[in-house]
Amino acid sequence: MTKPRIRRLPAVVLAAVGLLATGHIGATLAYTGPDTPLKASLQPALNRYFLGPLDQGWNLFAPGPYSQDEYMMVRACVSELDACAGGAEAGAEFTDWHNVTAEEMESVKYNVFANRENRQSKVVHGRFWPAASRLTDEQRSTVEGNHIDGDPVFGVDLYSSEAEETYNPSQLSNLRTYQRLEDTAVGLGTLYMQQEYGDAVTLVEVRMLREAVPSFAQRDDPPEERSQSWMNIGWRPAMEFDDDVKAAWA
Amino acid sequence: MGVNAPSTTTPIRSWLRHQRDLPQRLLDRVVTWFIADRHADYGFAVMRIASGSFLLGWLLLNLPIASRIWGPGSGYWQPYREILGYNFPFDLLQSAGPGVFWLWYIVTIALVVAFLLGWRTRIVTPLLFIAYTALNGQNTPISDGGNYFIRIMLIYLILVDVSRRWSLDARRRAATASPETQTGSVLHNIGLCLVVAQVCIVYFEAGLYKVQGTLWQNGTAVYYPLQSVAYGVFPGLTDLLTQWTLPVFIATYVTVIAQIAFPFLLFNTVTRRIALITLLGMHLSIAVLMGLPFFSGIMASADAVLVSGATWIAIATWLRTTLTQNRFALRLTEKVGTLRARKTAPAGETRRDEKAEPAPVE
C-alpha cells in the first residue's frame, strides 16, 4: 500500500495549528486546574487569555458540594425620597420583605424543564456573597449602613486617584468587585419591586441569607432551625434604568 | 573467523540498530493519521445533532423570558458584565434595544437549526459561535456548565467537518462528488484532538477538585445538593435515595473515581466503554434528580466522539429497524405506498386492481 504524502500547505497547517492547539490545551489545563506554583507563575497572562469567550471553570460542585439554600430578600420604600429619609415617623411607606429566590424557586419543584428566570436572584446571590466575604469587618459595617444620597458607599470614587492612594491594589480590586455586585443586586431588587410598585420605588434594601442543609448525619432528625448567615446591603437609591429595561420587566 | 567466535552485537544493540528509524516511522504514522481520513465523523454527527437539539430546546424553553434574562431586561448586570472581556462582536447586545435583540435571538435559533441539520456548517458553525456567545455574554452567571462547555466546543468545531455524515451537507457533497482536501482533514483531526482533550480536562479537573473536598472524601457529597431547594427537584425521591448510606457512598465515590480515571480509561476499548456508560449514567441522574437536563445533555453529547463509527452505525441500524419494522410502521408504510402509487399513476393508465372500462365501439 502506498503511503499518502503530505503536501506543503497541509504540513504548514499541521505544524502551526497543532502547536497553537497544544499551547491552548496546556494553558487550559493550568488555568482550570487547582492553584499551583506553575499557575501562579503564569499569571496575569493566563487570566488575560481566558477573559471573555474562553472563560471556563470545572470545579463543578467541588471541592465543597452545594450545601446551602441561598436567598435574596428585598424591600422598598415607596414614598418620596425626603419622606423615606425620615422613616416611618415622617410618613414613609415601606413594603414587606419579599423573598425573591423563594418566589422564583416555586417553579423548580417537580419541574426538570423550568426556565432560567427562576435562577436570577440565586446567581446574583452566588456572585455577591464571596465578594462581600472579602470585605473587612469595617467595610462590612459600612455597606450595611444606609447610603441614600447617591454618594459613593466607601466615601470615595473607587476609580479615582484618591482611591488608589487610600487603598492598596488588592483592597481596591476587592472593593471594586464588591461595588459592581452590590449595584447588580440593587438593580435586580429595584426591577423586582418595580414590577409591583412601579415608579413609586425610591429606595431598596437587600439582604442575602444562607441556610445550611442539615448534615448527612442529621438527615433523619434535622434541627428545627437551620443555621443561618446573612450579608446585608443597607438602603440604597433605586437604580435608574432606561425604558427598554423597564419594558422587559413590565 | 572461527565458528565459535563470540558475536560482537548484543541483543540490545541489535534492537537499537533496528529502531534507528523509529522517530521517522512515528512521525510518518502521526502525519498519516492526520491526512488519511477524517476521524470520528459519525461521532461528530451525533454530537452535532445532540448538542444542537439541546441548544434548540434551551433557546425555545427560555424564549418567553429571553428579553428579561439576555435582552434589554438583563441591563442590571451591566456593572458586572462590562469587565468580563466580551469585546466586539460579543458585546453587540449590551446596548441593543428589543428589536435588535429579538432579531439576534431568532437568527441564533435559525443557526442552531442549520447546525443541527448539518447545513453549510463551515459557515454556520463560526456564526453560531458568535451569535450564541454574545447572547451568553449578556448574563454569564445565569448559564450552567453546559453553556460554558458548548461555547468552548463551538470554537473547536469551527475546525471540524461536523457535517460529513448524516447531514444535508453530506447529501449535497454526495451529489456533487466534491473531493476532500488534505488541509481540511488536518484541521478536522486537530479539532478532534481539541474536543477529546477538552472532555478529558473537564472530567479530570472536576474529579481533582472533588477529591480535595472533605464531603467527597467521606462519601456523603451527593446528598447535599439533592437536599437543597435549588437542586432537589423531586424532594420525596431524593429523600428516599439519600435515606441509606450505601447508595450515597457509592454514588459519591463512583463520581470521583470515574471523573479522575476518565482520560486513562480511554486507552482500552473495554475500559472506554465502561467509562462512557458510567458517565452517561451520571449525566442521566444529574438531568433528572437535579433538574439540569441541558447541562447533562450537552456534556454527554461530546462523549459521542469517543464512540466508534461502527458502533454508531450499528445503533442507527438498530434504531431504524426498530422504528420501521414494527407492525404499526409496516402498516403505515403500506398505506403511504398505496396512496403514492395512486397519485403517481399516469393519466389514462389503468390500475392493476381496477377493471378497465370497455372501449367505445366507435
Side-chain angles (χ1 to χ4, degrees), chain A residues 32 34 57-67, chain B residues 202-217 221-222 225 255-256 259-260 290:
Chain A
T32 56
W58 305 113
N59 49 341
L60 310 165
F61 298 99
Y66 187 83
S67 55
Chain B
V202 170
Y203 288 133
F204 180 69
E205 294 202 331
L208 212 56
Y209 278 107
K210 284 186 179 79
V211 85
Q212 297 175 46
T214 48
L215 294 175
W216 290 98
Q217 288 166 7
V222 299
T255 304
V256 177
Q259 289 191 333
I260 290 187
M290 296 176 73

Side-chain angles (χ1 to χ4, degrees), chain B residues 17-36:
Chain B
R17 197 173 299 148
H18 278 102
Q19 303 301 323
R20 216 177 285 161
D21 62 341
L22 183 68
Q24 183 60 44
R25 275 192 285 134
L26 272 177
L27 184 68
D28 282 350
R29 240 177 121 175
V30 170
V31 169
T32 305
W33 187 86
F34 273 99
I35 59 170

Side-chain angles (χ1 to χ4, degrees), chain B residues 277-290:
Chain B
I277 291 168
T278 308
L279 286 171
L280 187 64
M282 188 187 83
H283 286 309
L284 279 171
S285 313
I286 292 172
V288 176
L289 296 176
M290 296 176 73

Side-chain angles (χ1 to χ4, degrees), chain B residues 34-38 180-190:
Chain B
F34 273 99
I35 59 170
D37 195 10
R38 297 184 179 184
E180 290 180 344
T181 63
Q182 265 194 5
T183 309
S185 299
V186 164
L187 288 174
H188 172 94
N189 292 322
I190 290 175

Side-chain angles (χ1 to χ4, degrees), chain B residues 7-324:
Chain B
S7 166
T8 53
T9 56
T10 63
I12 292 174
R13 202 174 284 171
S14 147
W15 183 84
L16 281 173
R17 197 173 299 148
H18 278 102
Q19 303 301 323
R20 216 177 285 161
D21 62 341
L22 183 68
Q24 183 60 44
R25 275 192 285 134
L26 272 177
L27 184 68
D28 282 350
R29 240 177 121 175
V30 170
V31 169
T32 305
W33 187 86
F34 273 99
I35 59 170
D37 195 10
R38 297 184 179 184
H39 302 283
D41 48 357
Y42 284 102
F44 274 120
V46 175
M47 181 184 174
R48 188 195 76 234
I49 295 165
S51 55
S53 304
F54 282 110
L55 262 185
L56 185 63
W58 170 266
L59 291 171
L60 293 177
L61 183 78
N62 289 300
L63 191 134
I65 43 94
S67 179
R68 200 176 277 200
I69 60 171
W70 293 306
S74 66
Y76 68 94
W77 278 110
Q78 192 59 25
Y80 175 78
R81 70 187 176 197
E82 67 188 7
I83 54 155
L84 293 183
Y86 283 83
N87 302 322
F88 181 84
F90 307 112
D91 61 350
L92 283 173
L93 291 176
Q94 287 187 11
S95 52
V100 173
F101 169 74
W102 280 114
L103 180 67
W104 192 283
Y105 201 79
I106 289 162
V107 167
T108 308
I109 290 176
L111 288 169
V112 172
V113 173
F115 176 79
L116 194 161
L117 297 173
W119 183 77
R120 306 276 177 188
T121 53
R122 285 287 187 205
I123 302 161
V124 162
T125 310
L127 290 178
L128 176 59
F129 166 67
I130 293 169
Y132 179 72
T133 303
L135 208 56
N136 209 37
Q138 288 285 92
N139 192 344
T140 51
I142 207 91
S143 314
D144 60 31
N147 299 117
Y148 276 69
F149 187 72
I150 192 67
R151 170 163 49 74
I152 304 290
M153 283 295 160
L154 281 172
I155 302 173
Y156 304 153
L157 293 183
I158 291 170
L159 302 176
V160 174
D161 184 1
V162 284
S163 56
R164 195 179 190 218
R165 304 287 178 191
W166 297 338
S167 71
L168 295 177
D169 283 352
R171 204 183 271 193
R172 196 186 68 248
R173 278 187 229 172
T176 55
S178 53
E180 290 180 344
T181 63
Q182 265 194 5
T183 309
S185 299
V186 164
L187 288 174
H188 172 94
N189 292 322
I190 290 175
L192 169 61
C193 294
L194 283 166
V195 168
V196 175
Q198 183 74 42
V199 171
C200 289
I201 285 176
V202 170
Y203 288 133
F204 180 69
E205 294 202 331
L208 212 56
Y209 278 107
K210 284 186 179 79
V211 85
Q212 297 175 46
T214 48
L215 294 175
W216 290 98
Q217 288 166 7
N218 75 15
T220 62
V222 299
Y223 157 84
Y224 290 92
L226 291 175
Q227 287 296 333
S228 70
V229 175
Y231 298 109
V233 181
F234 300 103
L237 182 62
T238 49
D239 281 349
L240 185 73
L241 291 172
T242 57
Q243 186 60 41
W244 297 283
T245 308
L246 190 64
V248 174
F249 177 83
I250 291 173
T252 304
Y253 264 59
V254 166
T255 304
V256 177
I257 293 168
Q259 289 191 333
I260 290 187
F262 183 80
F264 311 104
L265 296 177
L266 295 184
F267 291 107
N268 177 279
T269 318
V270 176
T271 56
R272 186 168 67 210
R273 283 176 186 163
I274 293 170
L276 289 172
I277 291 168
T278 308
L279 286 171
L280 187 64
M282 188 187 83
H283 286 309
L284 279 171
S285 313
I286 292 172
V288 176
L289 296 176
M290 296 176 73
L292 297 169
F294 298 101
F295 163 74
S296 300
I298 286 174
M299 299 289 275
S301 67
D303 295 350
V305 300
L306 296 163
V307 177
S308 72
T311 307
W312 283 124
I313 291 169
I315 292 171
T317 310
W318 174 79
L319 265 178
R320 198 176 299 137
T321 313
T322 312
L323 292 174
T324 58

